[in-house]
Each structure stands twice: as C-alpha cells, then as structure tokens.
Amino acid sequence: MSVEVEGAYVDFPIFDAKTRSLKKRVLGKVGGKIGTAAKVPIIEALQDITLSLRDGDRVGLVGHNGAGKSTLLRLLSGIYEPTRGSTRVVGRIAPVFDLGVGLDPEVSGRENILIRGLFLGMTRKQMEKRVEDIAEFTELGDYLHLPLRTYSAGMRVRRALGVVTTIDPEILVLDEGLGAVDAAFMAKARQRLVDLARRSGVLVFASHSDELLTDLCTSAFWMDEGRIRMSGSVREVLTTCKRGRRTLGQTAEVATPTDDARC
C-alpha cells in the first residue's frame, strides 16, 4: 500500500463570477488563493503538493478552515483529479468525509448500517456480522428500527461512528465530523477510533482536535493556503501552526504568537 503525490495542483475555475466582485467577497485565506490573471477567476485550492506515504504511516492534517485539508483528502481519494502534477495510489481507499453520505433517510437505522458499510467497500455479509456490535456500541436501542429521518444530529453521528469504526480499510482517508456527538460518547468512541487507525494500512486524518490527532497519528502536515507548510511530529506541527511561525512569504522569521488559533 502506498500513496504518491508529485507537484499536484487543484484549481477550480469560477465561470459565473466577475473577478472584481469575487475578490470583494472572499476574505482572509479561506478557500486557497484566487488567481485573477486570466479572464475567469480561479480558486487555487491546492498548490504544489508533494508527499509519499507507505504502509504504517499515520498522518494528521492540521490548519484553519479553508486551508486545503478536505481538498487534499478528496485528491487522495480520486474524487478530484490534479490540474497539474500527479497522484498514484496502490491499495483500496476507504474515504470517510461526511458521516452522513450515502444514507437513505426513509429506511431504518439498521438498514442504513448495511448501506453505509457497502458504501465504504464492505460486503453485505461482512456488515451483517457487525450489526449487533454496532447496535450495542451506539446505544440507540429501538431507534435503530425507526427511519433515519427521525434521528437527531447526535444520533446520526453515533450510528455513523459505529459503522466507520468496524471497517478494515487498507487506506483510510478520514475527515473529522464529530461535532454533534456528546463528550461522554466521544470518550467511549476514542478507543474504537484508535483501533481503527491501527487496523488501517495508511491513515490520513484531518482534524481540529489536538487530542484525536495525538491519539491517532504519528506525524502531521500543516496546511495553509492550499500548501503544505511544514511536516513533522504531531506535537511539533501543532505547536508551530498555533504560533504562526510560518506564513506565506516567511520561512525563518517568527510571527506574532497566536496560541489560541485553531489548527
């Protein structure tokens, strides 16, 4: 199993917006850079991404919202093709971006367990063997027999976490979406997430949670404006990201500390 990315760019042309009005609407660094040299504005979502991952790698992606983390996950999963550069993946990828993707709100939670498992590359037989374990973990009881549309946001996350943490992926590409779940259940789920990471041949995990990144990953990339600004141990990257030591155009000068920044 391996993931190779060489000098990859991902650009999104905006065909229905005028350059001037678009520039006024986009603030800060959200969404990468905007190229305005051409007549059509282009969002430069990823720029010059080069990385190499092998079996056993556990990599976290840190950075503010809009830094390019989710776009990179989609590039690795084959959802986006590079505008320039190349990607090569050897192994079966299990992409987990949105815990609600691929579900049917009109059928029961139990049926949606099977649907979600199929979506993640498992067979129906494999998922049927896991249903009872998932049901016990989620603590949803009789709700599993009710349509998914009757679930609260937290209940949906419980069901989704139950499914995700039972799969056996070769390459797991995980975008955190756990905000709706309560703290007590998240504490219960943490060990299952750790076990999932250990079962994965390769893990790439985008998150704002220092604790989860430390638990699941052994190294990290700091992303900013669609670029990888730094790679290293999880603790080193988180510390540097929060202090803002590397910004666009700076490689050695230390910027004003911003320890409360979300990375």
Side-chain angles (χ1 to χ4, degrees), residues 150-171:
T150 65
Y151 286 28
S152 68
M155 292 166 66
R156 288 172 181 249
V157 173
R158 283 180 177 235
R159 186 214 52 78
L161 266 176
V163 176
V164 167
T165 55
T166 63
I167 65 174
D168 297 314
E170 291 182 343
I171 301 173

mmCIF file of all heavy atoms in Angstrom, residues 150-171:
data_model
loop_
_atom_site.group_PDB
_atom_site.id
_atom_site.type_symbol
_atom_site.label_atom_id
_atom_site.label_comp_id
_atom_site.label_asym_id
_atom_site.label_seq_id
_atom_site.Cartn_x
_atom_site.Cartn_y
_atom_site.Cartn_z
ATOM 1 N N THR A 150 -35.888 10.406 11.601
ATOM 2 C CA THR A 150 -36.344 10.706 12.962
ATOM 3 C C THR A 150 -35.174 10.940 13.917
ATOM 4 O O THR A 150 -35.393 11.284 15.075
ATOM 5 C CB THR A 150 -37.214 9.558 13.510
ATOM 6 O OG1 THR A 150 -36.416 8.370 13.643
ATOM 7 C CG2 THR A 150 -38.382 9.283 12.577
ATOM 8 N N TYR A 151 -33.944 10.776 13.450
ATOM 9 C CA TYR A 151 -32.772 10.873 14.313
ATOM 10 C C TYR A 151 -32.348 12.327 14.500
ATOM 11 O O TYR A 151 -32.423 13.142 13.579
ATOM 12 C CB TYR A 151 -31.591 10.112 13.717
ATOM 13 C CG TYR A 151 -31.684 8.598 13.801
ATOM 14 C CD1 TYR A 151 -32.900 7.939 13.827
ATOM 15 C CD2 TYR A 151 -30.529 7.828 13.835
ATOM 16 C CE1 TYR A 151 -32.974 6.555 13.889
ATOM 17 C CE2 TYR A 151 -30.589 6.441 13.897
ATOM 18 C CZ TYR A 151 -31.816 5.817 13.924
ATOM 19 O OH TYR A 151 -31.887 4.457 13.985
ATOM 20 N N SER A 152 -31.842 12.623 15.691
ATOM 21 C CA SER A 152 -31.167 13.901 15.916
ATOM 22 C C SER A 152 -29.784 13.852 15.286
ATOM 23 O O SER A 152 -29.296 12.783 14.885
ATOM 24 C CB SER A 152 -31.038 14.174 17.410
ATOM 25 O OG SER A 152 -30.124 13.240 17.997
ATOM 26 N N ALA A 153 -29.118 15.016 15.226
ATOM 27 C CA ALA A 153 -27.761 15.060 14.660
ATOM 28 C C ALA A 153 -26.809 14.169 15.449
ATOM 29 O O ALA A 153 -26.002 13.437 14.881
ATOM 30 C CB ALA A 153 -27.250 16.499 14.642
ATOM 31 N N GLY A 154 -26.919 14.195 16.783
ATOM 32 C CA GLY A 154 -26.044 13.371 17.606
ATOM 33 C C GLY A 154 -26.273 11.884 17.406
ATOM 34 O O GLY A 154 -25.327 11.095 17.403
ATOM 35 N N MET A 155 -27.534 11.492 17.234
ATOM 36 C CA MET A 155 -27.846 10.086 16.993
ATOM 37 C C MET A 155 -27.292 9.618 15.654
ATOM 38 O O MET A 155 -26.819 8.483 15.530
ATOM 39 C CB MET A 155 -29.366 9.882 17.047
ATOM 40 C CG MET A 155 -29.953 10.073 18.435
ATOM 41 S SD MET A 155 -31.763 10.237 18.410
ATOM 42 C CE MET A 155 -32.229 8.598 17.857
ATOM 43 N N ARG A 156 -27.332 10.481 14.657
ATOM 44 C CA ARG A 156 -26.774 10.135 13.342
ATOM 45 C C ARG A 156 -25.269 9.913 13.438
ATOM 46 O O ARG A 156 -24.717 9.000 12.817
ATOM 47 C CB ARG A 156 -27.089 11.237 12.328
ATOM 48 C CG ARG A 156 -28.546 11.296 11.910
ATOM 49 C CD ARG A 156 -28.817 12.523 11.053
ATOM 50 N NE ARG A 156 -30.213 12.595 10.673
ATOM 51 C CZ ARG A 156 -30.667 12.428 9.435
ATOM 52 N NH1 ARG A 156 -29.829 12.168 8.459
ATOM 53 N NH2 ARG A 156 -31.955 12.525 9.172
ATOM 54 N N VAL A 157 -24.598 10.749 14.217
ATOM 55 C CA VAL A 157 -23.151 10.599 14.372
ATOM 56 C C VAL A 157 -22.828 9.304 15.103
ATOM 57 O O VAL A 157 -21.879 8.595 14.757
ATOM 58 C CB VAL A 157 -22.556 11.816 15.109
ATOM 59 C CG1 VAL A 157 -21.079 11.578 15.430
ATOM 60 C CG2 VAL A 157 -22.694 13.073 14.262
ATOM 61 N N ARG A 158 -23.619 8.966 16.109
ATOM 62 C CA ARG A 158 -23.402 7.704 16.822
ATOM 63 C C ARG A 158 -23.477 6.520 15.865
ATOM 64 O O ARG A 158 -22.630 5.630 15.875
ATOM 65 C CB ARG A 158 -24.463 7.540 17.921
ATOM 66 C CG ARG A 158 -24.219 8.377 19.166
ATOM 67 C CD ARG A 158 -25.325 8.149 20.177
ATOM 68 N NE ARG A 158 -25.067 8.884 21.403
ATOM 69 C CZ ARG A 158 -25.023 8.339 22.621
ATOM 70 N NH1 ARG A 158 -25.204 7.040 22.750
ATOM 71 N NH2 ARG A 158 -24.800 9.071 23.684
ATOM 72 N N ARG A 159 -24.540 6.485 15.065
ATOM 73 C CA ARG A 159 -24.706 5.385 14.121
ATOM 74 C C ARG A 159 -23.561 5.337 13.128
ATOM 75 O O ARG A 159 -23.001 4.280 12.836
ATOM 76 C CB ARG A 159 -26.044 5.526 13.385
ATOM 77 C CG ARG A 159 -26.395 4.357 12.485
ATOM 78 C CD ARG A 159 -27.149 4.862 11.278
ATOM 79 N NE ARG A 159 -26.435 5.942 10.632
ATOM 80 C CZ ARG A 159 -25.398 5.780 9.833
ATOM 81 N NH1 ARG A 159 -24.936 4.578 9.568
ATOM 82 N NH2 ARG A 159 -24.803 6.827 9.293
ATOM 83 N N ALA A 160 -23.176 6.525 12.613
ATOM 84 C CA ALA A 160 -22.102 6.587 11.627
ATOM 85 C C ALA A 160 -20.763 6.161 12.222
ATOM 86 O O ALA A 160 -19.993 5.431 11.592
ATOM 87 C CB ALA A 160 -22.000 8.000 11.064
ATOM 88 N N LEU A 161 -20.486 6.593 13.444
ATOM 89 C CA LEU A 161 -19.241 6.190 14.102
ATOM 90 C C LEU A 161 -19.207 4.689 14.341
ATOM 91 O O LEU A 161 -18.157 4.052 14.210
ATOM 92 C CB LEU A 161 -19.101 6.919 15.444
ATOM 93 C CG LEU A 161 -18.308 8.219 15.459
ATOM 94 C CD1 LEU A 161 -18.364 8.849 16.839
ATOM 95 C CD2 LEU A 161 -16.879 7.990 15.041
ATOM 96 N N GLY A 162 -20.360 4.125 14.687
ATOM 97 C CA GLY A 162 -20.423 2.685 14.886
ATOM 98 C C GLY A 162 -20.023 1.915 13.646
ATOM 99 O O GLY A 162 -19.306 0.912 13.717
ATOM 100 N N VAL A 163 -20.480 2.409 12.474
ATOM 101 C CA VAL A 163 -20.145 1.737 11.215
ATOM 102 C C VAL A 163 -18.680 1.947 10.861
ATOM 103 O O VAL A 163 -17.946 0.991 10.565
ATOM 104 C CB VAL A 163 -21.040 2.257 10.075
ATOM 105 C CG1 VAL A 163 -20.615 1.633 8.744
ATOM 106 C CG2 VAL A 163 -22.501 1.941 10.351
ATOM 107 N N VAL A 164 -18.238 3.194 10.884
ATOM 108 C CA VAL A 164 -16.885 3.537 10.443
ATOM 109 C C VAL A 164 -15.834 2.779 11.237
ATOM 110 O O VAL A 164 -14.829 2.316 10.691
ATOM 111 C CB VAL A 164 -16.658 5.058 10.556
ATOM 112 C CG1 VAL A 164 -15.182 5.407 10.420
ATOM 113 C CG2 VAL A 164 -17.478 5.794 9.506
ATOM 114 N N THR A 165 -16.065 2.627 12.542
ATOM 115 C CA THR A 165 -15.040 2.016 13.392
ATOM 116 C C THR A 165 -15.038 0.492 13.331
ATOM 117 O O THR A 165 -14.274 -0.149 14.055
ATOM 118 C CB THR A 165 -15.214 2.472 14.857
ATOM 119 O OG1 THR A 165 -16.550 2.195 15.300
ATOM 120 C CG2 THR A 165 -14.922 3.956 14.994
ATOM 121 N N THR A 166 -15.864 -0.109 12.459
ATOM 122 C CA THR A 166 -15.842 -1.566 12.303
ATOM 123 C C THR A 166 -15.216 -2.013 10.980
ATOM 124 O O THR A 166 -15.006 -3.215 10.779
ATOM 125 C CB THR A 166 -17.259 -2.167 12.370
ATOM 126 O OG1 THR A 166 -18.042 -1.665 11.273
ATOM 127 C CG2 THR A 166 -17.928 -1.837 13.682
ATOM 128 N N ILE A 167 -14.923 -1.077 10.077
ATOM 129 C CA ILE A 167 -14.387 -1.469 8.770
ATOM 130 C C ILE A 167 -12.907 -1.822 8.881
ATOM 131 O O ILE A 167 -12.248 -1.503 9.881
ATOM 132 C CB ILE A 167 -14.605 -0.357 7.722
ATOM 133 C CG1 ILE A 167 -13.801 0.898 8.092
ATOM 134 C CG2 ILE A 167 -16.078 -0.032 7.573
ATOM 135 C CD1 ILE A 167 -13.859 1.990 7.012
ATOM 136 N N ASP A 168 -12.397 -2.483 7.849
ATOM 137 C CA ASP A 168 -10.984 -2.869 7.795
ATOM 138 C C ASP A 168 -10.355 -2.274 6.544
ATOM 139 O O ASP A 168 -10.181 -2.961 5.533
ATOM 140 C CB ASP A 168 -10.844 -4.401 7.777
ATOM 141 C CG ASP A 168 -11.384 -5.035 9.040
ATOM 142 O OD1 ASP A 168 -11.063 -4.535 10.130
ATOM 143 O OD2 ASP A 168 -12.137 -6.021 8.931
ATOM 144 N N PRO A 169 -9.998 -1.000 6.574
ATOM 145 C CA PRO A 169 -9.513 -0.325 5.373
ATOM 146 C C PRO A 169 -8.026 -0.549 5.126
ATOM 147 O O PRO A 169 -7.243 -0.709 6.063
ATOM 148 C CB PRO A 169 -9.778 1.151 5.678
ATOM 149 C CG PRO A 169 -9.638 1.234 7.171
ATOM 150 C CD PRO A 169 -10.112 -0.092 7.717
ATOM 151 N N GLU A 170 -7.651 -0.571 3.867
ATOM 152 C CA GLU A 170 -6.223 -0.574 3.532
ATOM 153 C C GLU A 170 -5.672 0.842 3.655
ATOM 154 O O GLU A 170 -4.615 1.069 4.250
ATOM 155 C CB GLU A 170 -6.022 -1.100 2.109
ATOM 156 C CG GLU A 170 -6.336 -2.577 1.979
ATOM 157 C CD GLU A 170 -6.078 -3.108 0.582
ATOM 158 O OE1 GLU A 170 -5.965 -2.298 -0.367
ATOM 159 O OE2 GLU A 170 -5.998 -4.336 0.432
ATOM 160 N N ILE A 171 -6.394 1.806 3.077
ATOM 161 C CA ILE A 171 -6.012 3.213 3.172
ATOM 162 C C ILE A 171 -7.238 3.975 3.655
ATOM 163 O O ILE A 171 -8.252 4.058 2.950
ATOM 164 C CB ILE A 171 -5.538 3.771 1.818
ATOM 165 C CG1 ILE A 171 -4.339 2.973 1.307
ATOM 166 C CG2 ILE A 171 -5.177 5.255 1.942
ATOM 167 C CD1 ILE A 171 -3.912 3.346 -0.109
#
